Amino acid sequence: MILPIIAYGDPVLRKVGVNIDKDYPNLSELIENMKETMVNAQGVGLAAPQIGKAIRLFIIDTSPFAKDEELEENEREFLANFKKIFINAKIVKEEGDEWSFSEGCLSIPDIREEVFREEKITIEYVDENFKKHTDTLDGLAARVVQHEYDHIEGILFTDKISSLKKRLIKKKLENISKGKVNPDYRMKFPLLKRK
């Protein structure tokens, strides 16, 4: 089932997610719904807070980047198959030089900004079967994971841009929270005035 994506301005996007266990109600159904929702919105990642749940769960599917001709062949091949479910994730290490990339977010449609992030991360998490993993990632895969991880920490990519840029997009962000935007996927707006 395709769920509405929670828009910028909703308090759930600012909550730090709580850990869950394998008894979390309807977890496999929730994960399937998140996958459908992400694909429908043409996203490469989706975190539970973006569908209104303040839990430590996010999913990644970087296959859309596999068509990016500017990336090296081996990175495109890796991204083509990088599809994962992260539950109770904890980034244990971020390292390397910071690099800039134009990021967007399904909860913040029509806004893209250059965001600096470290190039390499090590992350511990459990998968949908609650099997433990530790992955070291770099490049775009690391960036997508960092972006989604921020969501379960109550952080948005717009928090990571300069104060000047924040001032420049302030009105756009206000309009998003009021529903004055036309994404091509379902959204739920916190400040939309019901008529």
Side-chain angles (χ1 to χ4, degrees), residues 8-55:
Y8 177 90
D10 191 298
V12 74
L13 295 175
R14 293 304 186 178
K15 289 184 177 157
V16 176
V18 295
N19 281 347
I20 60 172
D21 60 25
K22 55 182 171 297
D23 298 324
Y24 188 82
N26 306 319
L27 182 59
S28 54
E29 184 186 339
L30 174 64
I31 290 168
E32 280 312 305
N33 289 346
M34 285 177 69
K35 284 180 185 171
E36 276 184 55
T37 302
M38 176 181 71
V39 169
N40 177 65
Q42 299 180 334
V44 291
L46 186 67
Q50 293 180 277
I51 52 145
K53 299 195 178 300
I55 57 173

Side-chain angles (χ1 to χ4, degrees), residues 139-153:
L140 266 180
R143 176 170 293 270
V144 174
V145 169
Q146 285 165 310
H147 178 107
E148 297 308 324
Y149 180 82
D150 278 352
H151 274 298
I152 64 170
E153 291 289 327

